[in-house]
């Protein structure tokens, strides 16, 4: 709801994270990526489910990567890393979709993307390109990696969000023309599954009030039909408003009116409703101080948006949610929300979809999955999401593996860092980050260590392992062997007993 901090434009914002003891980071194994895997082609809806071209249910389990909506006019972090290595890292962590915020400024001929590092072979194929051409590159590479993309009209210009879908400088006609332009641009490219029409409508935006100037539901119908007129295969993601029938919530998070006043488009089976939900690091809400918190939260979510899914009205995608995790309240909120979204291991794709805010560490009031170095993964935050991650989708091209390859004479090398994320005496959880320190992309990697005590691995995710006595060898999974230059991937495991010292790790590149 409150956005004075969350769209920080600075390159680095300090993020302090408190570890949460006892986090269950066990991650369900991802399905093998085969031609028969769910997700191929364009998608449509049926009841509360999103279905692929073959009618198989799919779950969006993704991440927001912002920057195109700012005065950099391109995703952030390219000042530090190659874009391919970051997409590879998203893939290795099990995120299957990228939400890409943008502003209408990227359509202006005068707009020039900035803050991109081209040294040492990074981002070489982005040189001389405008913002839309860079977006093309990101979409193409994401598709090769088995990720889908949702385009998000986040702001009318790079300066700020807007309550309504139009401003004096960016009228509705421009908004719709640019939506149509994007829909046409990516027609036939099923990596782009849909467009989020406008980010976080809020007061005076209304739902079902009938005023053409402020009724967001009517505007979404006009824009959605315009998009579908040029690309009828796309999903149309429609966020809520702030206030309905006198009841207020998060910006874009109030879908109470959608049951009575649904968005009706000329092409059926295309509407996915989108809610945003945040914790106290963004703003206080009355439900956080309820004496029954967090047990009260499922009823809150049911009221604002969850009923659409539970009553089989339409799919619901939580397009943004996030927190710094600095407070106990926020930790309890995130644990409750993840449980509410329904574990993939139990419900499969018959679940709420989601994209976490954010990949970027420089989001002022939430931080990100990456830490401030734009490489290291916040394994505690990522661990909360483990149970709701979902399989990757079939690749739309060939060739994965990181960007930034230095060319001839390059060598592969890696390092591994070991962090205990929680230890409760009888057991512990740990995470290992593998970083490509060489001058060429890795195709595979192997990490070995020897404990000084009697620790035994009880489970491992995102890698396979063998253990002989105190010696452990962990080898990459099929989906995270490729690591670009400067990129990192991670795996985690549970072990017992706790209380052991951190071992020295060796990493071998393949």
């Amino acid at each position: 709801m409150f956005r004075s901090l969350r769209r920080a434009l600075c390159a680095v914002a300090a993020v302090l994270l408190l570890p949460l003891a006892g986090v269950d980071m066990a991650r369900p194994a991802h399905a093998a990526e085969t031609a028969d895997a769910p997700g191929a082609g364009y998608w449509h809806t049926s009841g509360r489910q999103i279905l692929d071209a073959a009618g198989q249910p799919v779950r969006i389990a993704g991440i927001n990567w912002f920057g195109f909506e700012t005065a950099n006019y391109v995703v952030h972090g390219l000042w530090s890393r190659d874009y391919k290595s970051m997409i590879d890292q998203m893939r290795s962590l099990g995120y299957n979709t990228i939400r890409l915020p943008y502003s209408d400024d990227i359509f202006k001929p005068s707009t020039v993307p900035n803050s991109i590092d081209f040294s040492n072979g990074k981002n070489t194929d982005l040189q001389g390109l405008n913002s839309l051409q860079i977006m093309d590159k990101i979409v193409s590479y994401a598709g090769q990696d088995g990720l889908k993309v949702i385009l998000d009209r986040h702001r009318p210009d790079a300066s700020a969000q807007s309550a309504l879908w139009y401003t004096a400088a960016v009228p509705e006609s421009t908004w719709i023309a640019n939506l149509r332009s994007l829909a046409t641009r990516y027609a036939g490219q099923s990596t782009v599954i849909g467009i989020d029409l406008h980010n976080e409508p809020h007061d005076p935006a209304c739902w079902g009030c009938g005023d053409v100037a402020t009724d967001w539901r009517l505007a979404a119908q006009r824009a959605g039909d315009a998009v579908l007129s040029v690309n009828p295969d796309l999903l149309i993601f429609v966020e809520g408003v702030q206030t309905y029938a006198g009841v207020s919530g998060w910006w874009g998070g109030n879908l109470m009116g959608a049951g009575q006043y649904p968005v009706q488009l000329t092409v059926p089976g295309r509407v996915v409703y989108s809610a945003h939900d945040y914790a106290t690091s963004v703003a206080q809400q009355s439900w956080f101080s309820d004496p029954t918190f967090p047990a009260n939260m499922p009823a809150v979510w049911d009221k604002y948006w969850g009923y659409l899914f539970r009553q089989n009205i339409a799919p619901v995608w939580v397009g943004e949610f996030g927190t710094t995790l600095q407070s106990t309240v926020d930790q309890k909120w995130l644990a409750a929300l993840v449980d509410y979204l329904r574990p993939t291991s139990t419900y499969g794709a018959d679940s709420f979809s989601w994209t976490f805010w954010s990949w970027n560490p420089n989001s002022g009031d939430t931080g990100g999955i990456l830490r401030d170095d734009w490489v290291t993964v916040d394994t505690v935050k990522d661990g909360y999401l483990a149970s709701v991650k979902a399989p990757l989708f079939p690749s739309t091209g060939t060739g994965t593996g990181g960007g930034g390859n230095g060319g001839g004479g390059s060598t592969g090398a890696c390092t591994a860092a070991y962090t205990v994320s929680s230890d409760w005496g009888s057991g512990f959880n740990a995470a290992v980050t593998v970083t490509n320190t060489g001058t060429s992309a890795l195709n595979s990697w192997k990490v070995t260590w020897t404990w000084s005590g009697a620790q035994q691995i009880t489970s491992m995710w995102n890698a396979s392992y063998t253990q002989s006595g105190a010696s452990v060898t962990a080898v990459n999974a099929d989906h995270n062997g490729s690591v670009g230059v400067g990129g990192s991937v991670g795996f985690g495991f549970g072990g017992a007993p706790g209380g052991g010292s951190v071992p020295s790790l060796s990493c071998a590149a393949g």
Side-chain angles (χ1 to χ4, degrees):
M1 176 182 287
F2 299 93
R3 295 298 180 264
S4 60
L5 296 175
R6 187 152 56 84
R7 302 301 184 264
L9 305 185
C10 58
V12 177
V15 180
L16 303 176
L17 296 172
L18 299 182
L20 179 63
V23 174
D24 179 8
M25 293 180 67
R27 181 189 308 269
H30 294 304
E33 295 174 64
T34 68
D36 297 325
Y42 282 105
W43 299 354
H44 60 282
T45 70
S46 178
R48 69 187 191 183
Q49 292 193 324
I50 302 174
L51 306 177
D52 69 6
Q56 300 180 92
V58 292
R59 183 180 204 179
I60 298 166
I63 196 80
N64 284 272
W65 187 10
F66 67 81
F68 276 108
E69 84 283 16
T70 73
N72 296 116
Y73 308 116
V74 70
V75 286
H76 284 179
L78 301 190
W79 51 69
S80 295
R81 292 178 61 185
D82 186 271
Y83 76 98
K84 294 179 182 177
S85 73
M86 282 204 272
I87 296 173
D88 287 342
Q89 189 176 19
M90 294 174 194
R91 177 184 188 271
S92 75
L93 292 171
Y95 297 104
N96 66 21
T97 303
I98 304 171
R99 180 176 181 253
L100 282 180
Y102 71 88
S103 84
D104 290 87
D105 279 351
I106 68 171
F107 297 90
K108 297 177 179 178
S110 59
T111 295
V112 178
N114 59 81
S115 301
I116 304 174
D117 183 6
F118 299 112
S119 67
N120 300 314
K122 291 191 291 290
N123 302 303
T124 54
D125 57 339
L126 305 185
Q127 285 188 283
L129 302 186
N130 64 31
S131 296
L132 288 169
Q133 291 166 335
I134 292 176
M135 184 178 285
D136 294 343
K137 292 284 189 178
I138 290 171
V139 166
S140 176
Y141 195 81
Q144 291 178 19
D145 260 7
L147 279 68
K148 296 291 189 179
V149 172
I150 298 170
L151 304 175
D152 156 45
R153 195 279 191 140
H154 207 77
R155 297 173 173 177
D157 57 54
S159 62
Q161 290 180 233
S162 60
L164 299 172
W165 54 96
Y166 62 91
T167 64
V170 184
E172 178 175 308
S173 59
T174 299
W175 170 58
I176 288 180
N178 289 339
L179 288 171
R180 284 171 56 94
S181 176
L182 279 182
T184 301
R185 188 179 193 92
Y186 295 112
Q189 299 185 51
S190 60
T191 296
V192 176
I193 54 170
I195 301 179
D196 188 344
L197 296 177
H198 177 61
N199 185 65
E200 296 184 345
H202 53 278
D203 296 345
C206 60
W207 191 291
C209 66
D211 184 342
V212 174
T214 58
D215 192 329
W216 166 235
R217 175 240 182 187
L218 295 179
Q221 290 182 164
R222 294 192 295 273
D225 281 341
V227 167
L228 294 173
S229 70
V230 296
N231 190 342
D233 296 313
L234 292 177
L235 294 176
I236 303 299
F237 295 92
V238 182
E239 299 185 28
V241 292
Q242 178 183 356
T243 304
Y244 178 78
V247 179
S248 293
W250 296 108
W251 288 0
N254 191 334
L255 285 158
M256 293 170 60
Q260 182 177 0
Y261 302 105
V263 172
Q264 298 175 312
L265 302 176
T266 55
V267 181
R270 294 294 183 269
V271 175
V272 177
Y273 291 109
S274 174
H276 290 187
D277 204 273
Y278 279 99
T280 63
S281 65
V282 173
Q284 285 288 340
Q285 296 279 13
S286 60
W287 44 80
F288 295 126
S289 57
D290 188 299
T292 66
F293 178 85
N296 63 314
M297 291 309 302
V300 172
W301 293 319
D302 279 348
K303 178 178 73 173
Y304 281 103
W305 44 268
Y307 76 96
L308 293 164
F309 176 87
R310 298 195 183 281
Q311 296 178 22
N312 200 37
I313 295 171
V316 176
W317 166 56
V318 184
E320 291 185 21
F321 63 106
T323 167
T324 60
L325 283 182
Q326 289 184 5
S327 73
T328 301
V329 169
D330 285 22
Q331 294 164 6
K332 291 180 178 179
W333 165 84
L334 184 55
L337 179 56
V338 166
D339 184 64
Y340 182 84
L341 296 178
R342 298 164 64 101
T344 302
S345 60
T346 303
Y347 298 99
D350 185 23
S351 306
F352 293 93
S353 287
W354 56 272
T355 44
F356 189 72
W357 188 276
S358 61
W359 179 248
N360 309 45
N362 60 321
S363 181
D365 49 8
T366 66
I369 291 299
L370 293 186
R371 293 188 181 273
D372 288 346
D373 62 3
W374 282 93
V375 173
T376 306
V377 175
D378 183 334
T379 55
V380 174
K381 191 176 287 188
D382 182 62
Y384 273 91
L385 305 173
S387 65
V388 291
K389 290 184 180 178
L392 294 163
F393 304 117
S395 171
T396 57
T398 59
T400 60
N405 190 334
S410 59
T411 58
C414 61
T415 60
Y418 178 114
T419 304
V420 176
S421 54
S422 55
D423 190 326
W424 54 96
S426 61
F428 68 99
N429 284 328
V432 175
T433 301
V434 177
T435 300
N436 182 349
T437 56
T439 58
S440 66
L442 305 182
N443 295 315
S444 62
W445 46 262
K446 177 175 67 176
V447 178
T448 57
W449 69 89
T450 300
W451 277 309
S452 59
Q455 284 75 26
Q456 294 285 316
I457 291 178
T458 56
S459 64
M460 182 175 287
W461 49 96
N462 285 332
S464 58
Y465 75 96
T466 57
Q467 181 168 357
S468 177
S471 298
V472 179
T473 299
V475 178
N476 63 272
D478 289 342
H479 67 268
N480 65 354
S482 298
V483 188
V485 174
S488 297
V489 297
F491 65 93
F493 61 88
S501 59
V502 174
S504 298
L505 273 61
S506 297
C507 185

